[in-house]
Amino acid sequence: MTTIYKNIRASIKRQDRLFAVLIDPDKTSVNKISVFIDKINRSIATHIFVGGSIVDDNKTDKLIKEIKRFTPLPIVLFPGDITQISNNADALLFLSLISGRNPEYLIGKHVDSVSKLKGTNLEVIPTGYVLVENGKQTSVERVTHTKPISRDNIQCIVNTAKAGELLGMKLIYLEAGSGAIEPITSDIIRSVKRELNIPLIVGGGIRTIGQLENAYNSGADLVVIGTALEEDYSFFEQLKQEH
Ligand code: 1GP
């Protein structure tokens, strides 16, 4: 099954804006999830991403089962580790950290995950994950022992994203890091988008409607917000669906 990716491509063709709320199982209580999901359901969200850099074993699976009870939205794994792979999700961003040079996060974890993936029905979407420096060290850097690409080196960011596409990846995810001080800049998004023929995801540090709009207007096809919504549910008020 390749429904989710096909739907992403079809939505982009229609010039729809895609929006994912990121839920980090380590920061989210299963008991309170229904209230959060209700807010997501009433918002412009088209996808729910689930994952985090460091998550205790089994938390992800339990949380996804609970999320599914309350929403029809597709649940896409955005895993920091193999332990976060859950057959209860709909799809998996099979992330390769192409901004870094740590073989474990380029191919090692992927090889290790194969036997686990064999037993699932997950739609696996190969995704080039590009970490861009944002002014402070992110948990992705700490966990993966990789350096992000300097935000001033736009050519290197563009070439990295394009190399991902040429390697056959189906999505590129430009990441400033969860809770980043500065989101990915318009210049970077625009420059990457110009060269890409595959959908572009942008996330990290987006806290305002202005920053969200800016990401779309610069060329992001799907924007991800986690921290800002986790910390302040009232932000959902500005993300309501228009009826
Ligand atoms: C992190 O891109 C996501 O991987 C979302 O970042 O938590 O800063 O919204 P925030």
Side-chain angles (χ1 to χ4, degrees):
M1 282 241 295
T2 55
T3 327
I4 290 174
Y5 185 68
K6 264 190 195 157
N7 287 345
I8 289 176
R9 293 218 71 137
S11 304
I12 294 169
K13 235 183 178 170
R14 291 193 305 268
Q15 299 193 318
D16 289 350
R17 289 175 163 185
L18 299 170
F19 178 68
V21 177
L22 173 63
I23 300 180
D24 183 339
D26 215 43
K27 298 182 189 159
T28 313
S29 143
V30 174
N31 303 330
K32 292 184 191 152
I33 198 69
S34 64
V35 178
F36 194 58
I37 300 298
D38 184 53
K39 302 242 174 234
I40 294 176
N41 287 337
R42 293 165 196 268
S43 79
I44 56 170
T46 54
H47 295 78
I48 295 177
F49 283 6
V50 179
S53 295
I54 305 160
V55 178
D56 288 349
D57 289 7
N58 298 323
K59 261 194 176 174
T60 308
D61 199 45
K62 274 191 201 140
L63 184 69
I64 291 175
K65 272 191 200 149
E66 198 62 10
I67 295 172
K68 281 218 124 165
R69 290 180 53 209
F70 301 107
T71 186
L73 289 174
I75 300 174
V76 179
L77 292 169
F78 172 59
D81 196 74
I82 299 167
T83 56
Q84 294 173 37
I85 293 174
S86 158
N87 196 19
N88 289 302
D90 301 299
L92 162 72
L93 296 185
F94 204 46
L95 301 164
S96 186
L97 183 57
I98 55 178
S99 53
R101 295 295 178 268
N102 181 347
E104 273 306 297
Y105 290 89
L106 285 163
I107 181 68
K109 302 266 182 196
H110 312 72
V111 174
D112 295 344
S113 70
V114 169
S115 47
K116 192 162 183 185
L117 285 175
K118 266 190 188 163
T120 75
N121 300 313
L122 290 167
E123 178 182 337
V124 178
I125 309 176
T127 303
Y129 192 44
V130 181
L131 185 63
V132 177
E133 164 260 327
N134 80 93
K136 72 165 192 180
Q137 200 192 38
T138 63
S139 50
V140 180
E141 274 180 78
R142 268 196 308 278
V143 171
T144 64
H145 303 289
T146 66
K147 291 249 167 294
I149 305 175
S150 160
R151 78 174 94 164
D152 297 326
N153 198 346
I154 296 186
Q155 196 56 55
C156 180
I157 298 169
V158 171
N159 290 351
T160 303
K162 190 67 190 175
E165 178 185 315
L166 294 172
L167 277 166
M169 287 160 187
K170 291 185 170 173
L171 296 170
I172 293 295
Y173 192 138
L174 279 182
E175 171 73 276
S178 188
I181 297 167
E182 293 288 336
I184 304 282
T185 64
S186 310
D187 269 3
I188 295 173
I189 300 172
R190 215 173 283 123
S191 307
V192 170
K193 181 67 182 177
R194 229 182 348 246
E195 297 297 325
L196 276 192
N197 296 306
I198 53 175
L200 179 61
I201 303 177
V202 173
I206 297 175
R207 293 176 173 277
T208 66
I209 281 288
Q211 290 171 331
L212 179 66
E213 284 290 323
N214 192 46
Y216 287 126
N217 293 337
S218 308
D221 296 304
L222 188 157
V223 179
V224 186
I225 299 185
T227 309
L229 292 167
E230 213 171 80
E231 288 178 354
D232 179 12
Y233 284 16
S234 73
F235 189 20
F236 276 110
E237 292 302 311
Q238 298 172 64
L239 299 169
K240 276 192 174 156
Q241 285 176 28
E242 286 167 23
H243 286 294

